[in-house]
Amino acid sequence: MTAQQAHRRFLTLIALRWLPVGLMIPVIVLLPLERGLTLAQYGSAAALQGLTVLLLELPTGGLSDALGRRPVLLMAGAVDIAALTLLTVADSVALFVVFYVLQGVYRALDSGPLEAWYVDHALAADGKADIETGLSRSGAVLGVAIAAGALITGGLVALGPVGPITALSLPVYVALTLQIVSMVAVATLMTEERRGRGLAALAASVRGVPAAVGGALRLLRRSRVIVALVAVEVFWGFGMVTFESLTPVRLADVLGDPTEASALMGPVGSAAWLASAAGAALIPLLARRIGAPWTGFTLRILQGLTVVGMAVFAGPVGVVAAFLICYTVHGAASPVHNGLLHRQVDGPYRASLLSLNSMVGQPAGALGLVVLTAVATHVNLVAALLLGAAVLAVAAPLYLVGRRAAPDTVATAPQEVVPAP
C-alpha cells in the first residue's frame, strides 16, 4: 500500500467514525435531562466513561500494538453498537451508568489504532512522508463529518417526534445505523498483515500487551517533552467540558428554553465543526512560521479566552460567536499536539503512547464533568465556565518545554521485541 492509498483510506474511515459522534453531540447532555436525570446526575454518570478509559486505555493500546490495529477497531465498533442500542431505551441513572461504562470501553479500544495504522503505513511506504499534513487533513475531515452529523440532528430535532421516538432520541437511532456502516468499512478498508490465527495467536498477542505498555511508560520516563505533552492533555481534558458539555446548557440558560436550545445546537454545532475543520486545515501555515511549540502555546491561551467569552456574553449571539471561535482553535490544536507527540517516538509502541496520552485526558475530563457540573449547580454556570477557561490557559507554557529540541529528535523505543504470534 502506498502512502497516498493509506492517506485516502485513513480519511474515509475518519469520516465514517466521527459522523455518528456529530449526530450525538447536540443531544448527549439534553437527552438524559429529558429522561429524568439532573445535571449533576448526568455529570456523575458521564464521568464513569473517563474512569473506565483510565483503567483500560493502556492495556487496549498495548493490545493494538501486539494484536493489530484492525481487530481492535472491530472490537471497538461492536462495543459502541451495544452502547448505542442501550441508549435507545435508557431512562434511569443505572442504565446511563452502564451506557457510559460501555462508552469508556469503546473509547479505550478506539483511541489510537486508526491513527497509528495510518502513520505506520505512511512511514513504511515513505520514510519522509508528511504525516503532519495528513493529520491536519484528518482533523479537517473529522470536523466536516461532525458538522454534517450535527446539522442532521438539528433537522431531526426540529421535525419533532416520530411515533413513540422523541425528537431528542431520534438521532440515537440514526447514529446506531451509521456506526454499523463504519464497522463494515473498517473490516473492508483497513488492511494489515495478519499476525497469526487461532487461540494460540491470540494468547501470544495478549502476552505481548505488558511489553507494549511497559515500552510506552519507559518512553514517558525518558522524555521530558512527552511528559509535558501528556500534562497538556490533562488540562485540556478538564477544560474541554466547558464547550463540549456545558454549551447547550449555557444556550438554554440565555434563551430560557431547553427545546429551543437543543434545536439551535444542531446548526450551531454543525458550524462549529466546520470552523474546527478550517482551523485544522489552516494551522500548518502558522506552525511553519512560528514553530509547533509556540503554535500550541498560542492556541491554548486563545481557547481559554474564547471560553471566557462564552461565560461573559449575555445574549445567544455572543455565546454562539465565542463557541465558534473556540472550536476553530480546538480543530487547529489537535493536529499540532498529535504531530508533536508522533515525532517523539520511533519504535513499536506508537499506539500505546497515543493511548497513554488519551488515558490521562479521559479521567481529566471525568473530573471536569464532576467538578464543573457541581460548580454550575451549587454556584452558577458562569463560574464553572470561567474555571474551565483558566484550566485550559494554564497548560500553555508546557508546549514550550520542547522548543529547543531538534525537529527530528525522538525518544527511541526500548529495544524489546513484542512476542509475535
Side-chain angles (χ1 to χ4, degrees):
M1 182 185 301
T2 66
Q4 291 78 11
Q5 287 174 323
H7 182 241
R8 286 195 297 270
R9 294 189 182 194
F10 175 53
L11 295 185
T12 299
L13 293 172
I14 284 286
L16 291 173
R17 183 257 181 267
W18 289 99
L19 183 58
V21 175
L23 282 157
M24 295 300 303
I25 285 176
V27 300
I28 194 60
V29 179
L30 299 176
L31 183 61
L33 302 183
E34 179 189 61
R35 295 184 181 177
L37 274 67
T38 67
L39 184 59
Q41 287 173 330
Y42 156 75
S44 298
L48 291 175
Q49 174 178 314
L51 297 177
T52 303
V53 172
L54 175 64
L55 295 174
L56 298 180
E57 185 74 75
L58 267 181
T60 54
L63 185 63
S64 174
D65 284 329
L67 180 61
R69 321 301 190 198
R70 181 174 178 271
V72 170
L73 277 184
L74 289 174
M75 285 188 278
V79 172
D80 194 40
I81 288 170
L84 291 174
T85 301
L86 175 62
L87 187 59
T88 61
V89 298
D91 60 358
S92 67
V93 174
L95 288 179
F96 274 100
V97 163
V98 176
F99 165 72
Y100 278 109
V101 169
L102 288 174
Q103 281 288 288
V105 175
Y106 163 62
R107 289 294 297 270
L109 288 167
D110 178 76
S111 174
L114 181 55
E115 190 172 301
W117 175 86
Y118 161 66
V119 174
D120 286 343
H121 280 73
L123 293 180
D126 179 4
K128 298 181 179 180
D130 184 5
I131 60 170
E132 286 82 5
T133 296
L135 293 174
S136 294
R137 288 175 179 171
S138 76
V141 169
L142 181 154
V144 171
I146 292 183
L151 186 61
I152 292 170
T153 288
L156 293 172
V157 172
L159 287 174
V162 176
I165 303 174
T166 68
L168 294 183
S169 298
L170 187 56
V172 179
Y173 289 87
V174 180
L176 174 58
T177 302
L178 290 174
Q179 179 56 47
I180 295 171
V181 173
S182 176
M183 187 174 175
V184 172
V186 168
T188 305
L189 298 179
M190 194 174 178
T191 58
E192 63 181 355
E193 183 178 347
R194 298 198 62 161
R195 306 188 183 188
R197 299 172 182 269
L199 293 178
L202 177 61
S205 295
V206 171
R207 288 196 298 271
V209 171
V213 171
L217 292 174
R218 279 186 286 277
L219 288 176
L220 181 66
R221 289 199 300 267
R222 294 173 59 184
S223 171
R224 64 189 179 92
V225 177
I226 292 178
V227 171
L229 291 173
V230 170
V232 168
E233 191 72 17
V234 173
F235 292 102
W236 199 354
F238 186 101
M240 277 195 291
V241 174
T242 55
F243 55 89
E244 284 194 339
S245 299
L246 296 183
T247 300
V249 184
R250 177 62 173 154
L251 272 179
D253 186 36
V254 298
L255 289 169
D257 185 350
T259 301
E260 185 180 351
S262 178
L264 183 60
M265 275 306 298
V268 168
S270 177
W273 284 101
L274 288 175
S276 173
L282 295 175
I283 198 59
L285 301 176
L286 178 62
R288 282 194 289 268
R289 179 174 294 273
I290 67 174
W294 278 109
T295 301
F297 174 91
T298 303
L299 293 174
R300 288 277 63 78
I301 296 293
L302 183 56
Q303 190 163 45
L305 292 175
T306 63
V307 175
V308 170
M310 289 172 54
V312 300
F313 291 137
V317 174
V319 173
V320 168
F323 177 68
L324 293 178
I325 299 172
C326 181
Y327 261 84
T328 303
V329 177
H330 188 61
S334 292
V336 172
H337 184 86
N338 289 349
L340 284 167
L341 196 63
H342 277 293
R343 291 298 183 186
Q344 299 305 314
V345 57
D346 180 18
Y349 305 131
R350 190 180 304 280
S352 296
L353 184 60
L354 291 175
S355 291
L356 178 64
N357 183 73
S358 178
M359 180 190 76
V360 300
Q362 289 296 323
L367 179 62
L369 275 169
V370 172
V371 172
L372 296 180
T373 55
V375 171
T377 300
H378 299 293
V379 184
N380 57 56
L381 185 57
V382 169
L385 291 170
L386 292 176
L387 175 59
V391 172
L392 284 168
V394 80
L398 292 169
Y399 275 118
L400 303 183
V401 170
R403 67 189 185 280
R404 296 187 183 88
D408 58 349
T409 299
V410 296
T412 303
Q415 298 302 308
E416 295 183 75
V417 178
V418 178

